[in-house]
Amino acid sequence: MTTATTVKTEYEAIIGLETHCQLSTNTKIFSNSSTAFGSDPNTNIDPVCMGLPGVLPVLNQKVLEYAVKAGLALNCQIAKYSKFDRKQYFYPDLPKNYQISQYDLPIAEHGWLEIELVDAEGNPIRKRIGITRLHMEEDAGKLVHAGSVGEASRNETRLSGSSYSLVDYNRAGIPLVEIVSEPDLRSGLEAAEYAEELRRIVRYLGVSDGNMEQGSLRCDVNISVRPVGRKEFGTKVEIKNMNSFSAIQRAIDYEIERQIAAIEAGDRIIQETRLWQEGAQCTSSMRVKEGSSDYRYFPEPDLAPIEVSNVQLEKWRSELPELPAQKRHHYESELGLSPYDARVLTEDRSIAEYFETAIASGANPKAAANWITQDIAAHLNKQKLTITQIALTPTNLADIITRIETGKISNAQAKQKLPDLLSGISPEKAFAGLELITDPSVLEPIVDEVIAANPKELEKYRNGNTNLKGFFVGQVLKKTEKRADPKLTNELVEKKLNA
């Protein structure tokens, strides 16, 4: 769970994120080449994504659907009319020397998402972060630089021992949505939580896997600082090359301190692009930042404008699942779960659905949450499995919880049998012959026998060592192979010892 922190300072940071999210389509945005990750270099290419003369792009309909669904999930206004534009720049990983993107008429604008932190007492702190726009575009290729010093940026990899560059165009034409936030973030912590929530949303929708290690989710940070109380923003700096949420937080925290130190030293902050160097834990200058005028946008002549009908829009809206923030609110306010439990259960859609099926099958919500977030989660982590890969169904989990709460089995018995249950053995078979002994007339003679067999411990107990009560309870449980009802056993032992 992300925890809110407060740092008193005479400066405040103004932070916005530009997030590129790869859409989980099988083919590219304007052609039929595969989007599979990890293929041999330059095998998932075609004349369209290579920009060969005479070819025409055709929009992948699934890309439009996924972009609109992402916009709806981010509470954006979906444009009835939008278009594609050409963004001009010259770089070896861009075969056409322009990128097809959206400029002045994006598919979605004016949205928001909610982030959730917690205070020192564990209470949730919620904040809405504005979404300026969401637009569709194609990705560029990947450069592999050999023999260069320093960190690489964007779709680049640096090697050592040589002095040449290679280009892999497999990524060229991969469908992306770029999501631009408002400058509403004020710390590295908030920015990291924003990026995490964005990933949760696209994963819930099924429009992206959000895998940062494979480049499916890439975040660039825009950050400036200003004295508290001043309305004007400071000079904006962009940070690239962050491949984890923790890196986003650390890069921002470093840059805030760097800019404040520069201002106080009388140095001028310049608008530039900087790289986050993970090894050195610092940012370094890469290039002076381009402005939008440098890209010489103009409407893409080979693609028709996009019009989304009301019928189509409402159909896609009806297909949206309940999103993470909605589930967290529901779990906390209606099911009485803690913010921590609600956060863990909603981190992954399959876990949330497993939990909801269990309580729909009769499980106590808090008990189900404890089993899923503790014992089952430990098994998943150890075996490197997802919750959809275990044989213990949510219905059987509800059965186990009900057996515990009705006194048929103990919690200890359930935990002891958990490996069998996780492998697919039914509760009926796992707990056959293990029903708790809840009849006092059956347990009382066993308690008498245990006390009679341990006269020295009885004498010590009656001489003031009352901790030995646990010894007698344990002996009864051992004698009954843990079938004795623990609560009833405690009551009978205490009664007999004090007789």
Side-chain angles (χ1 to χ4, degrees):
M1 170 65 81
T2 309
T3 305
T5 57
T6 302
V7 179
K8 292 185 178 180
T9 175
E10 57 188 300
Y11 297 93
E12 69 172 347
I14 308 299
I15 304 164
L17 262 64
E18 299 173 4
T19 305
H20 288 88
C21 179
Q22 178 178 329
L23 300 178
S24 296
T25 58
N26 294 324
T27 56
K28 295 186 177 182
I29 186 170
F30 301 122
S31 67
N32 288 325
S33 284
S34 172
T35 58
F37 178 81
S39 301
D40 290 338
N42 298 309
T43 55
N44 296 340
I45 59 175
D46 58 74
V48 174
C49 66
M50 293 300 292
L52 299 184
V55 297
L56 291 173
V58 178
L59 177 61
N60 183 335
Q61 185 174 347
K62 207 68 175 178
V63 172
L64 177 61
E65 176 188 339
Y66 284 179
V68 170
K69 285 182 174 179
L72 290 171
L74 294 172
N75 304 289
C76 290
Q77 298 174 16
I78 305 302
K80 301 296 183 185
Y81 178 96
S82 66
K83 65 179 176 67
F84 283 100
D85 301 276
R86 289 189 180 184
K87 179 181 179 180
Q88 315 288 328
Y89 67 93
F90 302 96
Y91 208 60
D93 66 0
L94 200 65
K96 302 188 295 284
N97 284 323
Y98 64 84
Q99 178 189 36
I100 300 178
S101 181
Q102 292 190 293
Y103 180 48
D104 56 329
L105 295 175
I107 190 65
E109 294 182 285
H110 312 307
W112 55 269
L113 67 75
E114 178 186 275
I115 64 172
E116 183 176 294
L117 311 177
V118 294
D119 61 19
E121 287 73 39
N123 300 311
I125 302 173
R126 299 187 176 104
K127 179 178 180 180
R128 282 190 178 184
I129 307 301
I131 302 293
T132 307
R133 58 186 281 145
L134 176 151
H135 66 259
M136 299 173 285
E137 64 184 22
E138 62 180 343
D139 204 354
K142 177 180 179 180
L143 289 175
V144 179
H145 300 303
S148 300
V149 179
E151 297 286 343
S153 68
R154 207 156 125 266
N155 298 345
E156 300 184 17
T157 300
R158 293 199 185 280
L159 305 174
S160 60
S162 177
S163 57
Y164 57 87
S165 295
L166 302 174
V167 188
D168 179 5
Y169 289 115
N170 281 348
R171 288 195 66 91
I174 292 284
L176 306 175
V177 288
E178 180 174 355
I179 302 164
V180 182
S181 82
E182 291 288 324
D184 293 340
L185 300 159
R186 294 293 177 267
S187 69
L189 186 68
E190 288 187 2
E193 174 55 28
Y194 166 89
E196 286 193 68
E197 184 68 6
L198 193 57
R199 184 173 73 169
R200 289 186 201 104
I201 290 172
V202 297
R203 284 181 167 179
Y204 264 64
L205 296 175
V207 304
S208 175
D209 62 22
N211 190 325
M212 297 188 79
E213 293 77 14
Q214 295 181 2
S216 299
L217 192 75
R218 309 196 295 270
C219 296
D220 298 334
V221 174
N222 292 301
I223 178 172
S224 64
V225 298
R226 66 183 178 187
V228 171
R230 194 177 81 178
K231 293 184 178 180
E232 296 79 13
F233 290 173
T235 300
K236 179 177 66 177
V237 169
E238 183 180 38
I239 311 174
K240 289 182 175 289
N241 200 42
M242 291 165 291
N243 59 6
S244 70
F245 301 121
S246 62
I248 291 172
Q249 181 173 344
R250 286 181 277 115
I252 289 173
D253 291 343
Y254 173 88
E255 187 62 19
I256 290 172
E257 295 301 321
R258 186 193 73 83
Q259 292 189 27
I260 290 174
I263 292 170
E264 292 185 338
D267 297 334
R268 185 172 68 92
I269 304 294
I270 61 172
Q271 183 171 339
E272 63 179 338
T273 297
R274 298 179 70 85
L275 295 176
W276 172 245
Q277 299 194 49
E278 185 66 34
Q281 293 289 293
C282 67
T283 62
S284 61
S285 182
M286 177 186 176
R287 61 174 180 264
V288 175
K289 176 65 177 172
E290 302 92 341
S292 61
S293 60
D294 295 320
Y295 293 127
R296 295 184 290 112
Y297 285 97
F298 68 84
E300 170 56 57
D302 292 335
L303 287 165
I306 302 162
E307 294 186 6
V308 180
S309 69
N310 289 332
V311 172
Q312 184 65 80
L313 183 61
E314 292 311 311
K315 179 180 182 297
W316 285 337
R317 191 192 304 275
S318 70
E319 294 170 356
L320 297 181
E322 186 180 33
L323 296 171
Q326 296 169 307
K327 286 187 181 295
R328 289 196 297 267
H329 294 176
H330 169 61
Y331 292 178
E332 293 171 27
S333 62
E334 297 181 34
L335 301 181
L337 299 186
S338 69
Y340 174 83
D341 283 344
R343 173 65 168 267
V344 174
L345 290 168
T346 58
E347 185 67 28
D348 182 88
R349 182 177 174 180
S350 61
I351 293 176
E353 290 174 345
Y354 187 99
F355 168 71
E356 290 172 9
T357 302
I359 61 174
S361 301
N364 175 284
K366 180 58 180 173
N370 288 341
W371 277 96
I372 294 169
T373 62
Q374 296 172 24
D375 300 271
I376 294 176
H379 174 78
L380 297 179
N381 291 335
K382 183 178 180 180
Q383 301 299 324
K384 295 181 171 54
L385 300 173
T386 66
I387 203 162
T388 60
Q389 294 173 307
I390 60 174
L392 176 62
T393 67
T395 302
N396 280 347
L397 176 62
D399 185 344
I400 296 164
I401 292 169
T402 301
R403 287 170 185 263
I404 295 170
E405 294 185 338
T406 56
K408 292 182 178 179
I409 60 171
S410 67
N411 198 59
Q413 286 176 315
K415 290 180 182 291
Q416 184 180 17
K417 291 293 183 179
L418 184 59
D420 294 335
L421 294 160
L422 287 167
S423 68
I425 294 177
S426 68
E428 290 79 8
K429 185 174 181 180
F431 301 118
L434 295 180
E435 289 77 10
L436 288 182
I437 301 171
T438 58
D439 186 346
S441 65
V442 176
L443 268 183
E444 195 165 353
I446 300 173
V447 172
D448 290 337
E449 183 181 341
V450 166
I451 292 175
N454 295 278
K456 291 182 180 180
E457 285 74 13
L458 175 62
E459 183 180 358
K460 290 178 182 178
Y461 175 87
R462 289 178 172 169
N463 286 333
N465 189 355
T466 55
N467 288 335
L468 282 170
K469 173 189 169 183
F471 165 78
F472 289 102
V473 171
Q475 290 300 305
V476 174
L477 293 175
K478 182 179 180 180
K479 197 171 187 64
T480 60
E481 297 180 335
K482 296 185 178 180
R483 291 181 56 213
D485 181 344
K487 183 179 179 182
L488 179 59
T489 302
N490 270 277
E491 292 173 355
L492 290 174
V493 166
E494 185 169 359
K495 177 183 175 182
K496 295 286 185 178
L497 289 175
N498 296 325

